[in-house]
Amino acid sequence: KLVLHTPGTNKLRDTLTSLYGTQIAPDLIEIDYADANISISGMIGKPTLLKGSRQWQTYIVNLRVINSRFIAKAIDNAYHSLLPKTGFPLAVLQITVPLDSVDVNVHPQKSDVKFRDEQQVFRAVYKAVTTTLINPQQPTQLASPIQPKFIERHPAQPVESLFAKHPEYKEPVPYQPYQRSNVIYEKPSVSFSA
């Protein structure tokens, strides 16, 4: 039984579109950031690409998928003014730090890690996401520009002449400003004859 199939192109964008659908491709932004001893790469979603939970957020530290509340908080803070109160953006971040600055023996399943300097990692993630949202990288392959084709189906005619052919067409009444009249209306007299 086939559970999951990805294209195998070694491109994160292709993998994400095969996992979450091709409709997200235009809303993905590549992230590439390097600080003194931290490098962050991956993809984030535009603020319009939201999910009701953190299901679309994946954090990879030194090639190990982890759970991290403070990385999630750094992403939330970076998107803070761009998102509604409910909703979480797509984020797949691969964070590389020196091996001696992270302890993987915190959780029995190795899904949580302990950083020597959590504030430094928090600041790096926050800065990487905010700078990418402010100045997104252009895609490396640009599609060729589409040249619009104009097809003239009918020769240009005044609009009035098009409607004049319709049997119920009436000439437009020229605009007259509203004038209040001093006429007093009387009830019509009604008589019944037997």
Side-chain angles (χ1 to χ4, degrees), residues 158-179:
V159 175
E160 291 82 15
S161 65
L162 293 174
F163 289 114
K165 296 176 184 174
H166 195 275
E168 295 179 13
Y169 175 74
K170 296 179 184 173
E171 286 291 327
V173 178
Y175 173 76
Q176 296 177 355
Y178 174 76
Q179 295 178 354

Side-chain angles (χ1 to χ4, degrees), residues 92-113:
V92 178
L93 301 180
Q94 184 168 343
I95 303 168
T96 305
V97 296
L99 294 176
D100 61 344
S101 67
V102 62
D103 182 11
V104 296
N105 295 319
V106 176
H107 193 272
Q109 297 169 340
K110 314 277 192 223
S111 62
D112 288 335
V113 295

Side-chain angles (χ1 to χ4, degrees), residues 85-149:
K85 292 187 178 187
T86 57
F88 300 96
L90 181 141
V92 178
L93 301 180
Q94 184 168 343
I95 303 168
T96 305
V97 296
L99 294 176
D100 61 344
S101 67
V102 62
D103 182 11
V104 296
N105 295 319
V106 176
H107 193 272
Q109 297 169 340
K110 314 277 192 223
S111 62
D112 288 335
V113 295
K114 177 91 171 119
F115 292 94
R116 183 184 313 149
D117 188 359
E118 288 185 347
Q119 285 302 315
Q120 182 185 16
V121 176
F122 180 93
R123 285 190 301 270
V125 170
Y126 176 80
K127 189 173 181 182
V129 173
T130 53
T131 55
T132 302
L133 287 172
I134 292 170
N135 297 316
Q137 294 180 2
Q138 298 298 322
T140 54
Q141 293 179 341
L142 295 175
S144 60
I146 298 171
Q147 298 297 326
K149 293 182 181 179

Side-chain angles (χ1 to χ4, degrees), residues 42-103:
M43 292 278 179
I44 59 173
K46 290 181 181 176
T48 55
L49 189 62
L50 298 177
K51 191 78 172 167
S53 68
R54 294 195 190 276
Q55 183 178 357
W56 282 4
Q57 292 186 359
T58 304
Y59 322 121
I60 305 164
V61 174
N62 293 347
L63 303 178
R64 181 186 305 269
V65 177
I66 65 158
N67 298 321
S68 175
R69 288 184 187 171
F70 77 90
I71 292 176
K73 186 65 175 169
I75 293 170
D76 289 347
N77 287 356
Y79 278 90
H80 176 70
S81 64
L82 304 172
L83 295 178
K85 292 187 178 187
T86 57
F88 300 96
L90 181 141
V92 178
L93 301 180
Q94 184 168 343
I95 303 168
T96 305
V97 296
L99 294 176
D100 61 344
S101 67
V102 62
D103 182 11

